[in-house]
C-alpha cells in the first residue's frame, strides 16, 4: 500500500476524533497490537532485505508521527475536560447571599419588657402567681364576695367550683402580702383570661399588676410613680389625668387616662371623641384587703394598680385590632 495515502487516511480519521473515547478507539485501530501499523510491519516480512529497510524506516517515521498526533490530541481533550469540570463547579463569590429569616421578640414581649424595665428602675421587683387560681385569691381576698355585682365586671372561666382561670393579676397582690411582711414593692406581669372575644378583647391577654405597701404610703406616691411610668412609656409631654373610679379592692380608686395618642386630644374614633384614653386602674389598697392578709390597716397603707399590656402596646404602636397580636402573621410581626 502507498504510505502517502495511509498518511492522508490517518489525517482524515484524526480530524473526526472529537473526544477522549473516540481518540482511544482510533489509537487501538491504528497503533494497537492488532492495529494498522502492526499489520504493516507484519507485511514487511514478505519483502526482501533492501526494500524492508527503506519501507520499514518510512513506516516507523509514520508511526512516530501518528503517536505524536495521538499524544497531542490526548493532552488537548484532557485540558478541555478539566476546564469543563472547573466551569461546572465554579462559584460566583460576588453573588448576594440568601437572607435568612431572623427571629425577633414579639411586640407584646417588647412592651412587657419595657414596662418591667421602668418599674425595676424605680425599685420594684417582679413577682409571679399561677394562671389557674383559687376563687379565694381571684375574688374573695380582693374584697369581692360571692354574689358581689363586681364579679360581673369580668366574665370568668371556671375550671371547677372554687377554681378559675385568673381574670386579672390582682391575686398576686394577695399571695405576695400573705408571704411577705411590709415593705412590699412589686409588679406582677402575666396572662389573664376572660370569656370575651372581639376587636378589642381576646380570651387571653396580659396584665401587669403593681403594689407598693409600707408605712406612710399616700395617694401622692401613687400619682408620682404612675406619672413617671407614663412619661417614660409614652413620652415626657404626654398629658394624663386621674379620674375617680371604683374597684372593690381599693379605696379611693382612680383610673388613669392619657391624652389620645392618635388625635393628640382633639377627638377621634379611638378615644370616642373624648380626647382621652383609659390605660390603667389604680387606688389605695382597701383596709379590708390588709385585714385579710394580716396587715394592720391602722399602721400600713399602700397603693395598687393594674394595666393591660395589649392595650398599651396597641396605643404605643398604633394597632387597631388586638387580635393581630395572636395571628402570628410574619408581615405583622416583622414590623417590630
Ligand atoms: N384588676 C383590675 C382589672 O383587671 C385592674 C386594677 C385596678 C388593678 C385597680 C389594681 C387596682 O391593682 O388597684 O380590671
Amino acid at each position: 500500500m502507498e504510505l502517502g495515502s495511509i498518511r492522508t487516511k490517518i489525517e482524515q480519521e484524526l480530524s473526526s476524533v472529537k473526544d477522549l473515547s473516540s481518540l482511544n478507539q482510533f489509537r487501538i485501530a491504528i497503533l494497537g497490537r492488532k492495529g494498522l501499523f502492526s499489520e504493516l510491519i507484519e507485511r514487511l516480512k514478505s519483502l526482501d532485505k533492501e526494500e524492508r529497510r527503506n519501507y520499514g524506516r518510512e513506516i516507523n517515521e509514520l508511526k512516530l508521527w501518528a503517536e505524536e498526533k495521538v499524544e497531542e490530541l490526548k493532552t488537548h481533550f484532557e485540558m478541555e475536560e478539566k476546564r469543563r469540570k472547573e466551569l461546572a463547579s465554579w462559584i460566583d463569590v460576588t453573588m448576594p447571599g440568601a437572607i435568612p429569616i431572623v427571629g425577633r421578640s414579639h411586640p407584646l414581649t417588647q412592651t412587657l419588657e419595657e414596662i418591667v424595665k421602668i418599674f425595676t428602675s424605680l425599685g420594684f421587683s417582679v413577682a409571679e402567681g399561677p394562671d389557674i387560681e383559687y376563687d379565694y385569691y381571684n375574688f374573695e381576698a380582693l374584697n369581692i364576695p360571692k354574689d358581689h355585682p363586681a364579679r360581673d365586671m369580668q366574665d370568668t372561666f371556671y375550671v371547677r367550683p372554687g377554681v378559675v382561670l385568673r381574670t386579672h393579676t390582682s391575686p398576686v397582690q394577695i399571695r405576695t402580702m400573705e408571704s411577705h411582711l411590709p415593705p412590699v414593692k412589686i409588679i406582677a406581669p402575666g396572662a389573664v383570661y376572660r370569656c370575651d372575644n372581639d376587636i378589642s378583647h381576646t380570651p387571653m391577654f396580659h396584665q401587669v399588676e403593681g403594689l407598693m405597701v409600707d408605712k406612710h404610703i399616700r395617694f401622692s406616691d401613687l400619682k408620682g410613680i404612675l406619672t413617671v411610668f407614663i412619661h417614660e412609656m409614652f413620652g415626657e409631654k404626654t398629658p394624663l389625668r386621674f379620674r375617680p373610679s371604683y374597684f372593690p379592692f381599693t379605696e379611693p380608686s382612680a383610673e388613669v387616662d392619657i391624652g389620645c395618642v392618635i388625635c393628640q386630644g382633639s377627638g377621634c374614633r379611638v378615644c370616642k371623641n373624648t380626647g382621652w384614653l383609659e390605660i390603667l386602674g389604680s387606688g389605695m389598697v382597701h383596709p379590708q384587703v390588709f385585714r385579710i392578709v394580716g396587715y394592720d390597716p391602722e399602721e400600713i397603707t399602700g397603693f395598687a394598680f393594674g394595666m393591660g399590656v395589649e392595650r398599651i402596646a396597641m396605643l404605643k404602636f398604633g394597632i387597631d385590632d388586638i387580635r393581630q397580636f395572636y395571628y402570628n402573621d410574619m408581615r405583622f410581626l416583622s414590623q417590630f
Side-chain angles (χ1 to χ4, degrees):
M1 201 207 254
E2 176 49 56
L3 285 184
S5 68
I6 290 180
R7 190 189 169 108
T8 316
K9 186 171 169 264
I10 289 177
E11 266 173 344
Q12 263 173 13
E13 278 186 34
L14 270 179
S15 68
S16 66
V17 165
K18 291 283 179 272
D19 55 24
L20 277 173
S21 85
S22 56
L23 179 66
N24 200 37
Q25 276 168 18
F26 170 86
R27 192 183 52 75
I28 292 165
I30 304 297
L31 299 165
R33 211 151 42 80
K34 290 177 181 162
L36 175 65
F37 280 100
S38 303
E39 204 181 295
L40 290 174
I41 289 162
E42 190 64 30
R43 273 198 231 157
L44 286 179
K45 289 175 185 164
S46 61
L47 302 177
D48 64 34
K49 206 177 164 198
E50 184 73 6
E51 265 184 320
R52 197 188 301 166
R53 247 208 8 235
N54 290 337
Y55 204 50
R57 202 181 50 233
E58 282 186 51
I59 290 175
N60 245 342
E61 272 170 18
L62 193 56
K63 193 178 173 207
L64 281 174
W65 167 81
E67 280 170 353
E68 221 170 82
K69 282 278 165 206
V70 167
E71 248 348 273
E72 254 173 42
L73 273 177
K74 189 164 168 254
T75 318
H76 170 76
F77 288 137
E78 277 171 356
M79 296 266 287
E80 227 177 33
E81 170 83 1
K82 195 172 154 221
R83 247 197 45 222
R84 214 175 39 74
K85 278 192 180 151
E86 274 172 3
L87 271 178
S89 63
W90 184 72
I91 294 168
D92 182 356
V93 291
T94 67
M95 220 161 95
I99 298 171
I101 298 169
V102 179
R104 61 192 83 196
S105 56
H106 192 279
L108 286 179
T109 309
Q110 290 178 29
T111 307
L112 184 58
E113 278 172 358
E114 197 172 340
I115 296 170
V116 169
K117 197 170 138 213
I118 295 168
F119 281 107
T120 49
S121 80
L122 293 169
F124 286 76
S125 43
V126 175
E128 276 181 283
D131 289 22
I132 299 171
E133 187 55 284
Y134 291 109
D135 184 292
Y136 174 77
Y137 288 110
N138 195 79
F139 294 121
E140 210 86 12
L142 285 161
N143 200 28
I144 316 173
K146 291 204 171 50
D147 305 320
H148 190 284
R151 290 208 178 195
D152 296 341
M153 288 165 78
Q154 305 161 3
D155 280 307
T156 311
F157 286 116
Y158 279 85
V159 175
R160 58 169 190 265
V163 178
V164 301
L165 294 183
R166 66 177 177 191
T167 58
H168 52 181
T169 41
S170 301
V172 184
Q173 282 188 32
I174 306 297
R175 288 178 171 274
T176 306
M177 288 191 284
E178 256 190 355
S179 56
H180 295 78
L181 290 172
V184 168
K185 206 174 170 187
I186 55 122
I187 53 167
V192 300
Y193 307 83
R194 291 181 197 180
C195 191
D196 224 342
N197 201 8
D198 59 40
I199 192 166
S200 53
H201 299 87
T202 46
M204 188 277 303
F205 59 104
H206 298 82
Q207 286 188 337
V208 175
E209 188 77 12
L211 177 70
M212 182 167 175
V213 172
D214 201 349
K215 290 175 179 161
H216 314 301
I217 301 290
R218 298 167 302 181
F219 197 89
S220 53
D221 296 308
L222 162 69
K223 266 191 101 169
I225 293 280
L226 291 180
T227 302
V228 169
F229 165 70
I230 285 164
H231 284 165
E232 290 279 318
M233 198 67 196
F234 292 99
E236 209 70 53
K237 298 207 163 61
T238 311
L240 67 152
R241 67 178 186 186
F242 289 76
R243 181 169 38 78
S245 185
Y246 170 77
F247 298 101
F249 34 90
T250 46
E251 182 58 37
S253 304
E255 282 178 301
V256 178
D257 299 337
I258 60 171
C260 182
V261 291
I262 310 292
C263 64
Q264 320 304 334
S266 63
C268 69
R269 196 174 56 92
V270 175
C271 62
K272 299 194 181 86
N273 281 317
T274 61
W276 294 97
L277 297 163
E278 180 215 319
I279 68 151
L280 56 84
S282 65
M284 301 305 290
V285 179
H286 198 292
Q288 183 57 20
V289 172
F290 281 143
R291 273 182 220 110
I292 287 169
V293 297
Y295 287 8
D296 179 0
E298 298 300 321
E299 195 192 351
I300 297 299
T301 54
F303 66 80
F305 58 88
M307 65 185 88
V309 180
E310 279 80 352
R311 181 158 174 84
I312 288 176
M314 285 167 83
L315 297 175
K316 220 177 141 54
F317 296 123
I319 297 160
D320 59 7
D321 182 349
I322 191 173
R323 294 169 296 195
Q324 285 289 355
F325 291 124
Y326 299 107
Y327 290 143
N328 283 336
D329 184 334
M330 288 300 287
R331 292 168 301 180
F332 172 77
L333 293 176
S334 62
Q335 295 175 53
F336 302 93

